[in-house]
Amino acid sequence: MPFVATVRGYQPAWLKRDLVGALTVTALLIPENLAYAGLAGMPPAAAFYAAPAALVLYALFGSSRQLISAASAAVAVLSAATVSAMAPVGSPRFVILTTALALMAGLVSVLAGVLRLGRIAQFFSTSVLTGFVFGLALIIAIKQVPKLFGIEGSEGNFFERLWFLVTHLKATHLVTLLVGAGSLLLLLGLERVSKRLPAALLVLAASIIVTALLGLDARGVHVVGKVQAGLAAPRLPDVGLRDLLGLLPGACGIALVAFAEAIGPARMLAARHGYEVDANRELVGLGAANMGAGLFRGFSVGSSLSKSAANDAAGARTEVSALLAAGFTVLVALFLMPLIRLLPEATLAAIVVLAISGMMDVRELRRLYRLRREDFIVAMVALVGVLALDVLPGLLVAVGLSIFLMVYRASVPRMSELGRTPGTLAFSDLRHMPRPLTVPGMLILRPNEGIFFANATSLRDEVIDRLRRSPRPCQALLLDLEVTADLDVPGADMLASLRDDLKQRGVTLMLARIMSPTRRMLDRTGVTAKVGDANLHAQVLDAVVEHLSHSPAMTPEEQELLRDGMHRLRALVEEAGSTLDESEGADRERLQDLGQRLGRAESVLQGPGSTPH
């Protein structure tokens, strides 16, 4: 456990800062968790069942010292969307399935961490995530706004709910609207006064007091009602295999979203305090938090950017702040729960609406529109997909869109033609050189992505097209495989097919800079034998020299290449000679052999009538 290292190096001076951080987190956690319990379709008490276990287990198993694992709006809505398809909201079966879903999401996350799948986050396009989270925030908002007006909500997607709200505004309950609007304005005012004030907790307390003094519950304002004090005992939910299979897609979605919204803040906080976070350890920590929440009859949790930022701003140094916050939450659950009975639902809705406003990142959408329209369109497709199809289908659209974009962009052939930089033996992209020198009779191409099944055919077509459009005749085509770290069977088959196609055109295929895994695949698939060992080279220069050695006559370009090669060879010989006396053993023998070979090459290349040989 990473927490063990924290305990060993813990300094007493840190306790005060961790204590202040814990009090700050608790002040934010209580009202928000109560609100998010409603989003998950669970009773308010479930917020206190889930919170302590999630705080403690993430602190023990997670790698971030300041991140707070708590109820998340996005995760709560995903949970409700998953379970509501299998049981009516509010029913005993709904509660059981929700706890089972939390356990399953935790198990999926832990397994992903153990299998070291932390890199999966990088395959989830940030553009897609921006659109998905924005759409999710709008769905949360449209479910909460009717509570601000005292109107019963409807079912359906975002647009159906919006139409129902607009057409039923005449049924607005005036007193409820005043409570909701007043709560929202008070939240905004307190946050403007000071970011450090626990605005949500203060508004929650004020609304309970006003409701008690004015008897608002008797005037038609919906309140939370009686909340059972205490904590739930740990218990496994009574569900069958069919239920687990039905919950599995939602569990995977929750694990993915919880990790995607946690890893960014975790890395940001780690960079600020000079330590590292482990993505796989984060998966284990979030998984443990969800398993604890489910075991204690709570609901799925994620991470909270607002509470994590507040914890950091309060000066918290270690995971001890989360452990202390768990203890304070237990005290509230044991002794202060009866006070929540008169909490207006409109106040909870106002807290949720303000909390999720940060998820509607208009600035990021504008940035995407300004920088790259394709990314903006992708974000909007994800956003509209969530609004039109609802949460789980929208998540599948977002994930599918991310995978499609990754494969599509990799499949588009991006290839550079290489030429020699004047005065050197270096080969680089022709587009980046003012006066590039090409090799007579040879076309040198470098795929700028690794060759694999998705781009193999398109790369082959691009190579043939480049060869066809080449303004000069080519006897050899050289592929620089520098960026192909590994090669799959379809990629190897493409190279074999390319060799046959080029042979029919009278062109020799040559390969250079082949990495070991790629070479092993070429050997196993028979491509090495087909292309020929003589056409596989360690460097581009080796292939160029081999090609020129078979040229029937010296061209001016070849002469210039050989002159530059002469200068380079002489420099290498001098460098080797100057270090021979300082070396011993194998190094001395290696340098002696190098000097001898370079000397022979130098003598061969000298003379006005010398040939490339």
PDB file of all heavy atoms in Angstrom, residues 456-475:
ATOM      1  N   ALA A 456      -2.085  -1.057 -43.302  1.00  0.00           N
ATOM      2  CA  ALA A 456      -1.187  -1.778 -44.205  1.00  0.00           C
ATOM      3  C   ALA A 456      -1.579  -1.585 -45.667  1.00  0.00           C
ATOM      4  O   ALA A 456      -0.741  -1.232 -46.511  1.00  0.00           O
ATOM      5  CB  ALA A 456      -1.178  -3.266 -43.842  1.00  0.00           C
ATOM      6  N   THR A 457      -2.842  -1.778 -45.992  1.00  0.00           N
ATOM      7  CA  THR A 457      -3.276  -1.668 -47.389  1.00  0.00           C
ATOM      8  C   THR A 457      -3.131  -0.247 -47.910  1.00  0.00           C
ATOM      9  O   THR A 457      -2.659  -0.029 -49.034  1.00  0.00           O
ATOM     10  CB  THR A 457      -4.732  -2.135 -47.527  1.00  0.00           C
ATOM     11  OG1 THR A 457      -4.843  -3.496 -47.078  1.00  0.00           O
ATOM     12  CG2 THR A 457      -5.199  -2.049 -48.969  1.00  0.00           C
ATOM     13  N   SER A 458      -3.542   0.730 -47.095  1.00  0.00           N
ATOM     14  CA  SER A 458      -3.454   2.121 -47.546  1.00  0.00           C
ATOM     15  C   SER A 458      -1.993   2.551 -47.719  1.00  0.00           C
ATOM     16  O   SER A 458      -1.671   3.320 -48.629  1.00  0.00           O
ATOM     17  CB  SER A 458      -4.169   3.045 -46.564  1.00  0.00           C
ATOM     18  OG  SER A 458      -3.654   2.921 -45.258  1.00  0.00           O
ATOM     19  N   LEU A 459      -1.092   2.053 -46.876  1.00  0.00           N
ATOM     20  CA  LEU A 459       0.325   2.368 -47.032  1.00  0.00           C
ATOM     21  C   LEU A 459       0.884   1.763 -48.323  1.00  0.00           C
ATOM     22  O   LEU A 459       1.655   2.408 -49.040  1.00  0.00           O
ATOM     23  CB  LEU A 459       1.116   1.850 -45.837  1.00  0.00           C
ATOM     24  CG  LEU A 459       1.079   2.711 -44.565  1.00  0.00           C
ATOM     25  CD1 LEU A 459       1.766   1.996 -43.417  1.00  0.00           C
ATOM     26  CD2 LEU A 459       1.741   4.056 -44.803  1.00  0.00           C
ATOM     27  N   ARG A 460       0.495   0.535 -48.593  1.00  0.00           N
ATOM     28  CA  ARG A 460       0.948  -0.093 -49.846  1.00  0.00           C
ATOM     29  C   ARG A 460       0.476   0.715 -51.048  1.00  0.00           C
ATOM     30  O   ARG A 460       1.252   0.982 -51.982  1.00  0.00           O
ATOM     31  CB  ARG A 460       0.409  -1.524 -49.925  1.00  0.00           C
ATOM     32  CG  ARG A 460       0.737  -2.225 -51.228  1.00  0.00           C
ATOM     33  CD  ARG A 460      -0.090  -3.500 -51.400  1.00  0.00           C
ATOM     34  NE  ARG A 460       0.100  -4.055 -52.738  1.00  0.00           N
ATOM     35  CZ  ARG A 460      -0.512  -3.614 -53.815  1.00  0.00           C
ATOM     36  NH1 ARG A 460      -1.376  -2.601 -53.715  1.00  0.00           N
ATOM     37  NH2 ARG A 460      -0.298  -4.169 -54.990  1.00  0.00           N
ATOM     38  N   ASP A 461      -0.787   1.119 -51.042  1.00  0.00           N
ATOM     39  CA  ASP A 461      -1.316   1.906 -52.163  1.00  0.00           C
ATOM     40  C   ASP A 461      -0.573   3.235 -52.295  1.00  0.00           C
ATOM     41  O   ASP A 461      -0.305   3.695 -53.413  1.00  0.00           O
ATOM     42  CB  ASP A 461      -2.816   2.163 -51.955  1.00  0.00           C
ATOM     43  CG  ASP A 461      -3.640   0.884 -52.012  1.00  0.00           C
ATOM     44  OD1 ASP A 461      -3.122  -0.126 -52.544  1.00  0.00           O
ATOM     45  OD2 ASP A 461      -4.785   0.900 -51.528  1.00  0.00           O
ATOM     46  N   GLU A 462      -0.245   3.844 -51.162  1.00  0.00           N
ATOM     47  CA  GLU A 462       0.472   5.116 -51.189  1.00  0.00           C
ATOM     48  C   GLU A 462       1.883   4.930 -51.750  1.00  0.00           C
ATOM     49  O   GLU A 462       2.383   5.778 -52.507  1.00  0.00           O
ATOM     50  CB  GLU A 462       0.530   5.711 -49.783  1.00  0.00           C
ATOM     51  CG  GLU A 462       1.282   7.022 -49.676  1.00  0.00           C
ATOM     52  CD  GLU A 462       0.588   8.175 -50.354  1.00  0.00           C
ATOM     53  OE1 GLU A 462      -0.600   8.033 -50.734  1.00  0.00           O
ATOM     54  OE2 GLU A 462       1.230   9.235 -50.519  1.00  0.00           O
ATOM     55  N   VAL A 463       2.541   3.831 -51.381  1.00  0.00           N
ATOM     56  CA  VAL A 463       3.886   3.560 -51.906  1.00  0.00           C
ATOM     57  C   VAL A 463       3.842   3.413 -53.428  1.00  0.00           C
ATOM     58  O   VAL A 463       4.661   4.010 -54.160  1.00  0.00           O
ATOM     59  CB  VAL A 463       4.474   2.289 -51.258  1.00  0.00           C
ATOM     60  CG1 VAL A 463       5.735   1.834 -52.004  1.00  0.00           C
ATOM     61  CG2 VAL A 463       4.790   2.541 -49.792  1.00  0.00           C
ATOM     62  N   ILE A 464       2.894   2.622 -53.910  1.00  0.00           N
ATOM     63  CA  ILE A 464       2.780   2.419 -55.364  1.00  0.00           C
ATOM     64  C   ILE A 464       2.469   3.741 -56.060  1.00  0.00           C
ATOM     65  O   ILE A 464       3.016   4.044 -57.139  1.00  0.00           O
ATOM     66  CB  ILE A 464       1.700   1.372 -55.680  1.00  0.00           C
ATOM     67  CG1 ILE A 464       2.089   0.007 -55.074  1.00  0.00           C
ATOM     68  CG2 ILE A 464       1.489   1.245 -57.175  1.00  0.00           C
ATOM     69  CD1 ILE A 464       3.370  -0.568 -55.607  1.00  0.00           C
ATOM     70  N   ASP A 465       1.614   4.544 -55.453  1.00  0.00           N
ATOM     71  CA  ASP A 465       1.260   5.826 -56.050  1.00  0.00           C
ATOM     72  C   ASP A 465       2.467   6.770 -56.091  1.00  0.00           C
ATOM     73  O   ASP A 465       2.692   7.469 -57.084  1.00  0.00           O
ATOM     74  CB  ASP A 465       0.110   6.463 -55.265  1.00  0.00           C
ATOM     75  CG  ASP A 465      -0.409   7.731 -55.919  1.00  0.00           C
ATOM     76  OD1 ASP A 465      -0.842   7.683 -57.081  1.00  0.00           O
ATOM     77  OD2 ASP A 465      -0.355   8.800 -55.260  1.00  0.00           O
ATOM     78  N   ARG A 466       3.260   6.790 -54.993  1.00  0.00           N
ATOM     79  CA  ARG A 466       4.471   7.627 -54.979  1.00  0.00           C
ATOM     80  C   ARG A 466       5.446   7.163 -56.061  1.00  0.00           C
ATOM     81  O   ARG A 466       6.084   7.983 -56.727  1.00  0.00           O
ATOM     82  CB  ARG A 466       5.147   7.544 -53.608  1.00  0.00           C
ATOM     83  CG  ARG A 466       4.370   8.173 -52.468  1.00  0.00           C
ATOM     84  CD  ARG A 466       4.497   9.680 -52.463  1.00  0.00           C
ATOM     85  NE  ARG A 466       3.899  10.241 -51.260  1.00  0.00           N
ATOM     86  CZ  ARG A 466       4.570  10.682 -50.215  1.00  0.00           C
ATOM     87  NH1 ARG A 466       5.911  10.644 -50.233  1.00  0.00           N
ATOM     88  NH2 ARG A 466       3.953  11.185 -49.167  1.00  0.00           N
ATOM     89  N   LEU A 467       5.578   5.869 -56.224  1.00  0.00           N
ATOM     90  CA  LEU A 467       6.478   5.334 -57.236  1.00  0.00           C
ATOM     91  C   LEU A 467       6.000   5.713 -58.635  1.00  0.00           C
ATOM     92  O   LEU A 467       6.801   6.085 -59.514  1.00  0.00           O
ATOM     93  CB  LEU A 467       6.563   3.817 -57.091  1.00  0.00           C
ATOM     94  CG  LEU A 467       7.581   3.094 -57.973  1.00  0.00           C
ATOM     95  CD1 LEU A 467       9.001   3.502 -57.607  1.00  0.00           C
ATOM     96  CD2 LEU A 467       7.406   1.583 -57.843  1.00  0.00           C
ATOM     97  N   ARG A 468       4.700   5.641 -58.844  1.00  0.00           N
ATOM     98  CA  ARG A 468       4.135   5.964 -60.151  1.00  0.00           C
ATOM     99  C   ARG A 468       4.322   7.451 -60.470  1.00  0.00           C
ATOM    100  O   ARG A 468       4.541   7.826 -61.625  1.00  0.00           O
ATOM    101  CB  ARG A 468       2.651   5.599 -60.162  1.00  0.00           C
ATOM    102  CG  ARG A 468       1.993   5.743 -61.529  1.00  0.00           C
ATOM    103  CD  ARG A 468       0.506   5.429 -61.466  1.00  0.00           C
ATOM    104  NE  ARG A 468       0.283   4.048 -61.031  1.00  0.00           N
ATOM    105  CZ  ARG A 468      -0.320   3.723 -59.890  1.00  0.00           C
ATOM    106  NH1 ARG A 468      -0.718   4.667 -59.053  1.00  0.00           N
ATOM    107  NH2 ARG A 468      -0.499   2.455 -59.576  1.00  0.00           N
ATOM    108  N   ARG A 469       4.226   8.311 -59.444  1.00  0.00           N
ATOM    109  CA  ARG A 469       4.325   9.756 -59.663  1.00  0.00           C
ATOM    110  C   ARG A 469       5.759  10.270 -59.610  1.00  0.00           C
ATOM    111  O   ARG A 469       5.989  11.468 -59.775  1.00  0.00           O
ATOM    112  CB  ARG A 469       3.491  10.494 -58.620  1.00  0.00           C
ATOM    113  CG  ARG A 469       2.000  10.310 -58.777  1.00  0.00           C
ATOM    114  CD  ARG A 469       1.181  11.201 -57.865  1.00  0.00           C
ATOM    115  NE  ARG A 469       1.191  10.722 -56.484  1.00  0.00           N
ATOM    116  CZ  ARG A 469       1.794  11.337 -55.481  1.00  0.00           C
ATOM    117  NH1 ARG A 469       2.492  12.436 -55.708  1.00  0.00           N
ATOM    118  NH2 ARG A 469       1.737  10.858 -54.254  1.00  0.00           N
ATOM    119  N   SER A 470       6.715   9.410 -59.358  1.00  0.00           N
ATOM    120  CA  SER A 470       8.106   9.853 -59.247  1.00  0.00           C
ATOM    121  C   SER A 470       8.589  10.399 -60.590  1.00  0.00           C
ATOM    122  O   SER A 470       8.424   9.753 -61.636  1.00  0.00           O
ATOM    123  CB  SER A 470       9.001   8.682 -58.819  1.00  0.00           C
ATOM    124  OG  SER A 470      10.355   9.106 -58.775  1.00  0.00           O
ATOM    125  N   PRO A 471       9.205  11.599 -60.599  1.00  0.00           N
ATOM    126  CA  PRO A 471       9.636  12.204 -61.868  1.00  0.00           C
ATOM    127  C   PRO A 471      10.878  11.545 -62.467  1.00  0.00           C
ATOM    128  O   PRO A 471      11.246  11.853 -63.594  1.00  0.00           O
ATOM    129  CB  PRO A 471       9.934  13.651 -61.459  1.00  0.00           C
ATOM    130  CG  PRO A 471      10.303  13.569 -60.016  1.00  0.00           C
ATOM    131  CD  PRO A 471       9.480  12.457 -59.449  1.00  0.00           C
ATOM    132  N   ARG A 472      11.534  10.670 -61.722  1.00  0.00           N
ATOM    133  CA  ARG A 472      12.749  10.044 -62.212  1.00  0.00           C
ATOM    134  C   ARG A 472      12.591   8.516 -62.150  1.00  0.00           C
ATOM    135  O   ARG A 472      11.867   7.998 -61.301  1.00  0.00           O
ATOM    136  CB  ARG A 472      13.956  10.463 -61.362  1.00  0.00           C
ATOM    137  CG  ARG A 472      13.815  10.118 -59.903  1.00  0.00           C
ATOM    138  CD  ARG A 472      14.916  10.746 -59.058  1.00  0.00           C
ATOM    139  NE  ARG A 472      14.863  10.279 -57.681  1.00  0.00           N
ATOM    140  CZ  ARG A 472      14.051  10.779 -56.748  1.00  0.00           C
ATOM    141  NH1 ARG A 472      13.230  11.765 -57.075  1.00  0.00           N
ATOM    142  NH2 ARG A 472      14.079  10.307 -55.525  1.00  0.00           N
ATOM    143  N   PRO A 473      13.270   7.793 -63.048  1.00  0.00           N
ATOM    144  CA  PRO A 473      13.163   6.321 -63.030  1.00  0.00           C
ATOM    145  C   PRO A 473      13.780   5.743 -61.756  1.00  0.00           C
ATOM    146  O   PRO A 473      14.781   6.250 -61.252  1.00  0.00           O
ATOM    147  CB  PRO A 473      13.940   5.899 -64.277  1.00  0.00           C
ATOM    148  CG  PRO A 473      14.866   7.035 -64.551  1.00  0.00           C
ATOM    149  CD  PRO A 473      14.153   8.278 -64.124  1.00  0.00           C
ATOM    150  N   CYS A 474      13.177   4.693 -61.232  1.00  0.00           N
ATOM    151  CA  CYS A 474      13.650   4.077 -59.985  1.00  0.00           C
ATOM    152  C   CYS A 474      13.923   2.603 -60.203  1.00  0.00           C
ATOM    153  O   CYS A 474      13.088   1.875 -60.755  1.00  0.00           O
ATOM    154  CB  CYS A 474      12.613   4.245 -58.870  1.00  0.00           C
ATOM    155  SG  CYS A 474      12.363   5.946 -58.342  1.00  0.00           S
ATOM    156  N   GLN A 475      15.100   2.185 -59.773  1.00  0.00           N
ATOM    157  CA  GLN A 475      15.438   0.761 -59.786  1.00  0.00           C
ATOM    158  C   GLN A 475      15.295   0.129 -58.403  1.00  0.00           C
ATOM    159  O   GLN A 475      15.251  -1.081 -58.255  1.00  0.00           O
ATOM    160  CB  GLN A 475      16.882   0.544 -60.268  1.00  0.00           C
ATOM    161  CG  GLN A 475      17.111   0.881 -61.720  1.00  0.00           C
ATOM    162  CD  GLN A 475      17.312   2.379 -61.929  1.00  0.00           C
ATOM    163  OE1 GLN A 475      18.048   3.012 -61.177  1.00  0.00           O
ATOM    164  NE2 GLN A 475      16.679   2.929 -62.953  1.00  0.00           N
TER     165      GLN A 475
END
